[in-house]
Amino acid sequence: MLPKKDIILIKHLVLNKSDEAHKILANLHPADIAEILNEIKNGNKKLFLHMMSSSKAAEVLEELDPADSLQILEEMSEEETIKILENMSVDEIIDLIQEMPTAQAERLLMKLPQEDYEELKELLKMAEDTAGGLMTTDYVYIFSDETVSQAIEDVRQFGQKAETIYYLYVVDNKKHLQGVLSLRELISAPRDKKIHEIMHKKVISVNVDQDQEDVAKIISRYSLLAVPVVDNENRLLGIVTVDDAMEVLEAENTEDIHKMAGITTEEDVILTSTIWGASKKRIFWLIVCLFGDMLSGKVIDGFSHVLESVVAVAFFIPVLMATGGNIGTQSLALAVRGIATEELNRKNIFQFIIGETLAGLQLGIICGALISVISYIWQKNAQLSLAVGLSMCISLMLAALIGVLIPLIFNMFNIDPAVASGPFITTVVDITTLIVYFTFAIYFIDIISPNMVGFARLGLEGVLA
Amino acid sequence: MLPKKDIILIKHLVLNKSDEAHKILANLHPADIAEILNEIKNGNKKLFLHMMSSSKAAEVLEELDPADSLQILEEMSEEETIKILENMSVDEIIDLIQEMPTAQAERLLMKLPQEDYEELKELLKMAEDTAGGLMTTDYVYIFSDETVSQAIEDVRQFGQKAETIYYLYVVDNKKHLQGVLSLRELISAPRDKKIHEIMHKKVISVNVDQDQEDVAKIISRYSLLAVPVVDNENRLLGIVTVDDAMEVLEAENTEDIHKMAGITTEEDVILTSTIWGASKKRIFWLIVCLFGDMLSGKVIDGFSHVLESVVAVAFFIPVLMATGGNIGTQSLALAVRGIATEELNRKNIFQFIIGETLAGLQLGIICGALISVISYIWQKNAQLSLAVGLSMCISLMLAALIGVLIPLIFNMFNIDPAVASGPFITTVVDITTLIVYFTFAIYFIDIISPNMVGFARLGLEGVLA
């Protein structure tokens, strides 16, 4: 979001080691410095970090992708690296260490102060995509039997490195989570009250093993600035803050969009280092659908006598398949998003299914009428036009229904509805559309045989064979 | 997120006006009560609100969709409504009033205290999807020439109704934004210092007319809890808080997914009251693509002598078109999401395009080999298998390239890349794939005429005619 000319100027000043650069960097927000670093050649990035304090450098690295941060740190000496790590927040160090080869990570960890070492070792055991993997241990807790003035003193003393001090989590002497108090409430409370007299006893907390998407949704749902993470005995382990929750939501949205396009990936990186890395996350649905679409070919095979008799029937296969696929994908997008945002619930689900099907029928009538007219102008064959138009109408209605039903059914069986990707829906719709089309074609078009009903049966038997 | 049995129990207690219901509702989070309300018949919803204080009722309504809140308020008396409105935050009242018919809104506004009335009238003038439409005026500001202890007193006094007091915005006596201070810094500063001595002079702020998506991205980028909104003279008008930013990000993500599926909509509602409401947002891309796919028909027409000679060529049209469309959609999803999250930048864009194209080629080789084998087993026609396999290979590479290039080009011209929806990409890919396929078919398959090169030219001329 920095203007491009500012970026160029700052780059220039730093690369020439100008004195002014120190001052400019000190005044820039870490997120902006990170943006400039993304535009700099790898070898030159460390020049930037050398021009600022370790604490500022730590903040800048926290804004970068862990993989990029690691690359910069590898160019620096080990002492420098340790100095910067000591200034980073715990959750960010974890992200970084997870990118390193184990031996290097262990070497670095050993050089950190003993207590940091042990804390980090504990955190590294947590699964990356859970509350435990997301949380930070830089937070403030206060004891339920303290007085307000003792608690304020605690906040003063331990609040410096904490990620947030606006929520104060109250624990007993075994660190069981007892309650919560906002800083606002603490400072306006009488100084001699005990914390347990004024705290909120109902605390929204998450379990350390809970999925990170759930954690983000809870923070969003209850409009929290942070949520405490506890173990199965309700002992306080850390907190997840709202800025991390926002990042998770963005990453999960990316994952949803990718899944809907039939890309199966656990990582949210867009540039993979090898071509096969880019291919392998796409191959699964491609192959599944390839076999599915062979069935479409089988349908055409089953009705090939129709094509042999009236080749113009083939001209409308693409438009029917494509329009059906489009409607199916639209309905899928509405259903997947409705499930994700919880707008679809037990109360309105039938209304949604019926509404979508009727919308599909309405769009089918419009598109069917249009394609009838166009095909008549083009081919001057009234029977063909009738078959094409009616097929469009019926297949669009079916496509809309398929597009909503499949993700809803997946969801019922607790399968992520985004897995019912666009490619999958399109394949199912393609097969349906072709069967509808050829059936109408046989009924309406004078094909060699006069016995039309028999012909339709023949076609369907051909498909099933 | 409440267990279903709790919801049923609470519903039961409230509908029977049990004494216990008061206590349970008082202890429930407003977001949870809102969830229960969503499951209740309209006429019964007001029973819930009657069982709680106006301030709690206000918090519950803030969690509901504005349209749903309005429906409940309409069942209540005007005095009750005004009491609740007085307890709601300004930005939520605005959302509500925008749903009302003008006459009703005016009648309600008139009954509010004079100062609220004028403030609301001002806010109602702001466009809904800008910083001005999103901001609240319930915030705390302090003056730069105050002392720390005066400022603390201000926070105590005015902080009660504020949405956040953790960022204190510093203004001069004409309300120009001068700086910012966190509550944390304020309470740990010496009591006799002047605010301007300790404040941060660099404040990240947004203009009142800035798009709401930009505002949300700034809050996320700089990990803020709130951002101040100023007019063109840098006068402080309000603040946007992080919870509203999260809601905007979710809504914008929904919009992106819908756009990618070719749904054009300004609203984020999933259930529209009329069928035409559901249809009209989808008709645009359907019709555009319908005409596009007629070109695919035209391609088949141009090469119809191939079909007439070897009808089996038609059996592979669906699988080639569908696989190409799938790859194109996958590349589109990667490109659109990469642009949205700013992962794609000037530095890596060419690497991305080349990588995607090579991945397309690699997937083409795999799928091409597979389909060759399958088609040979099925049709026992080596020439046909060769044509199908090579077409798959080339058209998948082209599809991947089209899928990334079109959104990138749109973005270059400042058109929202999500507009280059899946349906549009699929249509372009379909036409390309058919031309590739029939060209190969003519070269490899023994068709009636021995002069194959001439035939290919004939086919392409047919398409262009």
Side-chain angles (χ1 to χ4, degrees):
Chain A
M1 315 229 185
L2 278 186
K4 200 178 168 188
K5 67 171 175 35
D6 288 4
I7 296 183
I8 294 171
L9 176 73
I10 296 167
K11 255 158 71 170
H12 179 80
L13 289 174
V14 172
L15 298 185
N16 289 294
K17 297 184 183 158
S18 150
D19 288 338
E20 229 184 312
H22 283 94
K23 226 182 92 193
I24 290 178
L25 289 179
N27 277 315
L28 271 182
H29 191 284
D32 292 325
I33 301 179
E35 188 185 341
I36 303 175
L37 279 181
N38 278 331
E39 307 247 333
I40 300 263
K41 263 193 302 204
N42 278 331
N44 288 333
K45 285 180 179 167
K46 65 177 173 198
L47 287 180
F48 272 76
L49 298 194
H50 284 151
M51 286 205 170
M52 40 186 135
S53 64
S54 306
S55 66
K56 183 87 175 208
E59 287 180 277
V60 172
L61 292 184
E62 287 181 0
E63 298 284 338
L64 291 171
D65 253 8
D68 292 336
S69 300
L70 189 60
Q71 215 163 30
I72 303 180
L73 284 179
E74 274 166 2
E75 293 172 16
M76 307 184 82
S77 73
E78 216 160 74
E79 291 97 291
E80 284 174 313
T81 306
I82 288 167
K83 242 194 199 158
I84 291 176
L85 285 185
E86 283 173 349
N87 279 288
M88 283 175 78
S89 67
V90 178
D91 50 342
E92 304 285 345
I93 301 181
I94 294 293
D95 290 344
L96 209 62
I97 287 180
Q98 277 161 339
E99 292 280 324
M100 294 184 184
T102 323
Q104 189 193 357
E106 189 60 33
R107 207 166 60 233
L108 261 183
L109 281 173
M110 295 288 285
K111 301 220 170 155
L112 291 175
Q114 180 67 19
E115 53 176 270
D116 289 358
Y117 174 77
E118 276 162 21
E119 195 182 332
L120 287 169
K121 285 295 256 186
E122 272 310 304
L123 284 174
L124 278 168
K125 290 181 199 151
M126 315 271 177
E128 252 185 278
D129 56 352
T130 62
L134 199 62
M135 73 183 184
T136 178
T137 49
D138 296 331
Y139 64 97
V140 191
Y141 55 87
I142 55 181
F143 292 99
S144 56
D145 52 2
E146 280 181 313
T147 61
V148 168
S149 57
Q150 283 171 320
I152 291 179
E153 201 38 55
D154 279 358
V155 175
R156 281 238 170 87
Q157 199 180 336
F158 301 108
Q160 278 312 317
K161 222 201 154 193
E163 290 221 355
T164 180
I165 59 164
Y166 300 128
Y167 289 163
L168 304 163
Y169 299 104
V170 184
V171 296
D172 64 14
N173 53 13
K174 280 187 175 142
K175 258 195 122 178
H176 292 107
L177 183 61
Q178 302 284 306
V180 67
L181 204 58
S182 71
L183 181 60
R184 188 169 173 164
E185 291 161 330
L186 183 71
I187 61 168
S188 56
R191 293 290 182 268
D192 54 347
K193 282 252 180 187
K194 293 276 190 185
I195 294 298
H196 64 78
E197 295 176 84
I198 56 168
M199 71 185 185
H200 301 272
K201 292 199 176 68
K202 249 186 106 77
V203 202
I204 296 160
S205 65
V206 296
N207 187 281
V208 63
D209 293 324
Q210 220 162 327
D211 186 78
Q212 62 173 3
E213 189 172 4
D214 289 346
V215 177
K217 276 196 176 159
I218 286 173
I219 289 181
S220 169
R221 177 187 167 99
Y222 296 110
S223 300
L224 301 173
L225 301 180
V227 69
V229 181
V230 296
D231 64 13
N232 293 332
E233 274 86 48
N234 198 36
R235 269 189 305 253
L236 184 59
L237 299 177
I239 63 168
V240 175
T241 50
V242 64
D243 52 321
D244 293 326
M246 281 181 104
E247 274 176 36
V248 168
L249 282 186
E250 279 291 287
E252 297 284 346
N253 281 317
T254 299
E255 210 184 295
D256 273 1
I257 289 186
H258 286 181
K259 269 192 207 150
M260 273 188 53
I263 303 171
T264 51
T265 172
E266 294 302 310
E267 301 152 70
D268 57 348
V269 285
I270 186 162
L271 283 163
T272 30
S273 44
T274 61
I275 301 170
W276 177 238
S279 295
K280 75 169 176 225
K281 58 190 177 187
R282 300 156 71 154
I283 192 95
F284 175 73
W285 280 112
L286 286 180
I287 301 283
V288 169
C289 293
L290 189 140
F291 281 98
D293 286 305
M294 289 306 298
L295 288 178
S296 297
K298 207 76 180 96
V299 173
I300 299 181
D301 185 17
F303 291 99
S304 59
H305 55 283
V306 181
L307 281 188
E308 275 160 4
S309 161
V310 186
V311 76
V313 166
F315 306 165
F316 300 96
I317 292 178
V319 73
L320 287 167
M321 271 175 53
T323 314
N326 290 344
I327 287 250
T329 314
Q330 289 177 335
S331 299
L332 169 75
L334 289 172
V336 166
R337 216 37 213 169
I339 295 168
T341 59
E342 288 162 21
E343 266 185 278
L344 280 178
N345 52 42
R346 284 186 290 275
K347 223 184 86 195
N348 61 20
I349 198 139
F350 284 105
Q351 192 194 343
F352 175 65
I353 296 172
I354 293 165
E356 277 301 298
T357 312
L358 290 177
L361 180 63
Q362 188 178 42
L363 291 165
I365 293 171
I366 297 169
C367 293
L370 193 62
I371 196 79
S372 288
V373 173
I374 297 173
S375 61
Y376 186 76
I377 294 170
W378 183 15
Q379 293 291 324
K380 303 279 185 304
N381 180 335
Q383 295 161 313
L384 178 62
S385 294
L386 194 60
V388 172
L390 274 175
S391 305
M392 183 67 97
C393 179
I394 301 300
S395 65
L396 291 201
M397 187 187 75
L398 291 176
L401 185 62
I402 292 168
V404 293
L405 272 192
I406 293 184
L408 289 175
I409 291 170
F410 275 38
N411 191 49
M412 248 171 57
F413 288 103
N414 279 324
I415 305 168
D416 181 352
V419 167
S421 58
F424 180 67
I425 297 284
T426 314
T427 305
V428 177
V429 168
D430 281 352
I431 299 170
T432 317
T433 302
L434 285 173
I435 293 177
V436 170
Y437 179 41
F438 279 105
T439 308
F440 276 119
I442 285 177
Y443 274 88
F444 286 106
I445 305 173
D446 299 322
I447 303 173
I448 310 153
S449 158
N451 182 350
M452 290 169 187
V453 182
F455 237 153
R457 199 177 303 125
L458 204 77
L460 279 169
E461 274 162 9
V463 172
L464 297 172
Chain B
M1 312 228 186
L2 279 183
K4 198 177 168 186
K5 67 170 174 34
D6 288 5
I7 296 184
I8 293 172
L9 176 72
I10 296 166
K11 256 159 65 171
H12 179 78
L13 289 175
V14 172
L15 298 184
N16 290 294
K17 299 185 185 160
S18 149
D19 287 338
E20 230 184 313
H22 283 95
K23 224 182 96 194
I24 291 177
L25 289 179
N27 276 315
L28 272 183
H29 191 286
D32 292 327
I33 301 179
E35 188 184 338
I36 303 175
L37 279 182
N38 278 331
E39 307 246 334
I40 298 264
K41 264 193 296 200
N42 279 331
N44 287 334
K45 284 178 179 169
K46 64 177 172 197
L47 287 180
F48 273 77
L49 298 194
H50 283 151
M51 285 204 172
M52 42 186 130
S53 64
S54 306
S55 66
K56 184 86 176 213
E59 287 180 279
V60 172
L61 291 184
E62 287 182 1
E63 299 282 340
L64 291 171
D65 255 7
D68 293 337
S69 300
L70 189 60
Q71 215 163 30
I72 302 180
L73 285 180
E74 273 166 1
E75 294 173 14
M76 305 184 82
S77 72
E78 217 160 71
E79 290 98 289
E80 284 175 315
T81 307
I82 289 167
K83 241 192 200 161
I84 292 175
L85 284 186
E86 282 173 349
N87 279 290
M88 282 175 80
S89 68
V90 179
D91 50 342
E92 305 283 348
I93 300 181
I94 295 291
D95 291 346
L96 210 61
I97 287 180
Q98 276 162 341
E99 292 280 327
M100 293 184 185
T102 324
Q104 189 193 356
E106 189 60 32
R107 207 166 59 234
L108 262 184
L109 281 173
M110 296 287 285
K111 301 218 170 158
L112 291 175
Q114 181 66 16
E115 53 178 271
D116 289 358
Y117 174 76
E118 275 161 22
E119 195 182 330
L120 287 169
K121 285 296 253 187
E122 271 310 305
L123 284 172
L124 278 168
K125 289 181 199 152
M126 315 272 179
E128 252 185 278
D129 56 351
T130 62
L134 199 62
M135 73 184 184
T136 178
T137 49
D138 297 330
Y139 65 98
V140 191
Y141 55 88
I142 55 181
F143 292 99
S144 58
D145 53 2
E146 281 181 313
T147 62
V148 168
S149 56
Q150 282 171 321
I152 291 179
E153 201 38 54
D154 278 359
V155 175
R156 281 239 171 86
Q157 199 181 335
F158 301 109
Q160 279 312 316
K161 221 201 154 191
E163 289 220 356
T164 179
I165 59 164
Y166 300 127
Y167 289 164
L168 303 163
Y169 299 104
V170 185
V171 295
D172 63 15
N173 53 13
K174 281 189 175 137
K175 255 194 125 175
H176 292 107
L177 184 61
Q178 302 283 305
V180 67
L181 204 60
S182 71
L183 179 61
R184 187 169 172 165
E185 290 161 328
L186 184 72
I187 60 169
S188 56
R191 293 289 180 271
D192 54 347
K193 282 252 183 190
K194 292 276 189 185
I195 295 299
H196 64 79
E197 295 176 85
I198 55 167
M199 71 184 184
H200 301 272
K201 291 199 179 66
K202 252 185 102 79
V203 202
I204 295 160
S205 65
V206 295
N207 187 280
V208 64
D209 294 323
Q210 220 162 327
D211 185 80
Q212 63 173 1
E213 189 171 4
D214 290 347
V215 177
K217 276 194 176 161
I218 286 172
I219 288 181
S220 168
R221 178 187 167 98
Y222 296 111
S223 300
L224 301 173
L225 301 180
V227 69
V229 181
V230 295
D231 64 13
N232 293 331
E233 275 84 49
N234 197 36
R235 269 189 304 255
L236 184 59
L237 299 178
I239 63 167
V240 174
T241 51
V242 63
D243 53 322
D244 292 326
M246 281 180 104
E247 274 176 34
V248 168
L249 282 186
E250 279 291 286
E252 297 283 345
N253 280 318
T254 298
E255 210 184 296
D256 273 1
I257 289 187
H258 286 181
K259 269 192 206 149
M260 274 187 54
I263 303 171
T264 53
T265 172
E266 295 303 309
E267 302 151 72
D268 58 348
V269 285
I270 187 162
L271 284 164
T272 30
S273 44
T274 61
I275 302 169
W276 178 238
S279 295
K280 75 170 177 226
K281 58 190 181 189
R282 302 156 72 153
I283 192 95
F284 175 74
W285 280 110
L286 285 181
I287 301 283
V288 169
C289 293
L290 189 141
F291 280 99
D293 286 306
M294 289 306 299
L295 287 178
S296 297
K298 208 72 182 101
V299 173
I300 300 181
D301 185 17
F303 291 99
S304 57
H305 54 281
V306 180
L307 282 188
E308 274 160 3
S309 160
V310 185
V311 76
V313 166
F315 305 165
F316 300 95
I317 291 178
V319 73
L320 287 168
M321 272 176 52
T323 314
N326 290 344
I327 286 251
T329 314
Q330 289 177 336
S331 299
L332 169 75
L334 289 172
V336 166
R337 214 40 211 166
I339 294 168
T341 58
E342 286 161 22
E343 266 186 278
L344 281 178
N345 52 41
R346 285 186 290 275
K347 224 183 88 194
N348 62 20
I349 198 138
F350 284 104
Q351 192 193 341
F352 175 66
I353 296 172
I354 293 166
E356 276 301 298
T357 313
L358 290 178
L361 179 63
Q362 189 178 40
L363 292 166
I365 293 170
I366 298 169
C367 293
L370 193 61
I371 196 78
S372 288
V373 173
I374 297 173
S375 61
Y376 185 76
I377 295 171
W378 183 15
Q379 292 293 323
K380 304 278 185 306
N381 179 337
Q383 296 160 312
L384 178 63
S385 295
L386 195 60
V388 172
L390 275 175
S391 304
M392 183 67 96
C393 178
I394 301 300
S395 64
L396 290 201
M397 188 186 73
L398 291 176
L401 185 61
I402 292 169
V404 294
L405 273 192
I406 293 183
L408 289 174
I409 291 170
F410 274 36
N411 192 48
M412 249 171 56
F413 288 102
N414 281 324
I415 305 169
D416 181 353
V419 167
S421 56
F424 179 68
I425 297 284
T426 313
T427 305
V428 177
V429 168
D430 281 352
I431 299 170
T432 317
T433 302
L434 285 173
I435 293 176
V436 170
Y437 179 42
F438 279 104
T439 307
F440 276 118
I442 285 177
Y443 275 88
F444 286 107
I445 305 172
D446 299 320
I447 303 173
I448 311 153
S449 156
N451 181 351
M452 289 170 189
V453 182
F455 236 156
R457 198 177 303 124
L458 205 77
L460 279 171
E461 275 164 10
V463 173
L464 297 173

